[in-house]
Amino acid sequence: MLIDLSPELRTEIHETMQPLLEEWCGHKLDPTFVYGIRVYKDKAILQSHRDRVDTHIVSAILNVGQEVVEDWPLVIDDNYYRSHSVVMEPGDALFYEGARLTHGRPIAFNGKSFANIFCHFKPADNTSVGSAKRVGDN
């Protein structure tokens, strides 16, 4: 289920997240998309995937709420092909290279609801973000 957000709220989310993500990746970014609040229900699965290379280069997942029976980890492969299971709590944010790293939630969700906002950017100079800090790097 997707809960729509007003254009003003989507803009505010982009403006709030942009400096944080620019600092994280070391590049000037242009905002591309903030979807509404995506709510997953019991038994949901998010197939492992990579995001669109033209708009989802640098991304953030913002966990806004959950009613879970057990944790529902995001499984993300880092740039060295190591797999990580990331558990998020309400209020957590995860920065990642969505178009580069395979990520998903392949284990069926066990709970009432799990809600995220996805916030996406692309480099302002339209180049790869190859020097960004990566999941798994120290």
Side-chain angles (χ1 to χ4, degrees), residues 17 20 60-63 86 88-95:
M17 297 307 299
L20 300 171
I61 300 172
L62 311 171
N63 187 256
V86 180
M88 298 184 76
E89 298 289 334
D92 286 349
L94 173 70
F95 298 176

Side-chain angles (χ1 to χ4, degrees), residues 7 13 18 61 70 73 84 90 95 120 122 133:
I13 291 168
Q18 186 169 353
I61 300 172
E70 59 187 326
H84 303 269
F95 298 176
H120 303 285
K122 66 180 182 176
K133 296 176 186 171

Side-chain angles (χ1 to χ4, degrees), residues 12 15 19 34-35 55 69 75 82 85 97 106 112 118 126:
E12 185 174 335
E15 289 174 352
V34 170
Y35 297 103
T55 59
V69 173
V75 178
R82 298 174 298 199
S85 292
E97 295 175 273
K112 186 173 180 182
F118 296 89
N126 225 8

Side-chain angles (χ1 to χ4, degrees), residues 26-43:
H27 289 265
K28 177 79 175 125
L29 299 173
D30 287 334
T32 56
F33 291 99
V34 170
Y35 297 103
I37 301 171
R38 185 161 292 150
V39 181
Y40 300 90
K41 298 292 186 178
D42 192 46
K43 308 290 186 251

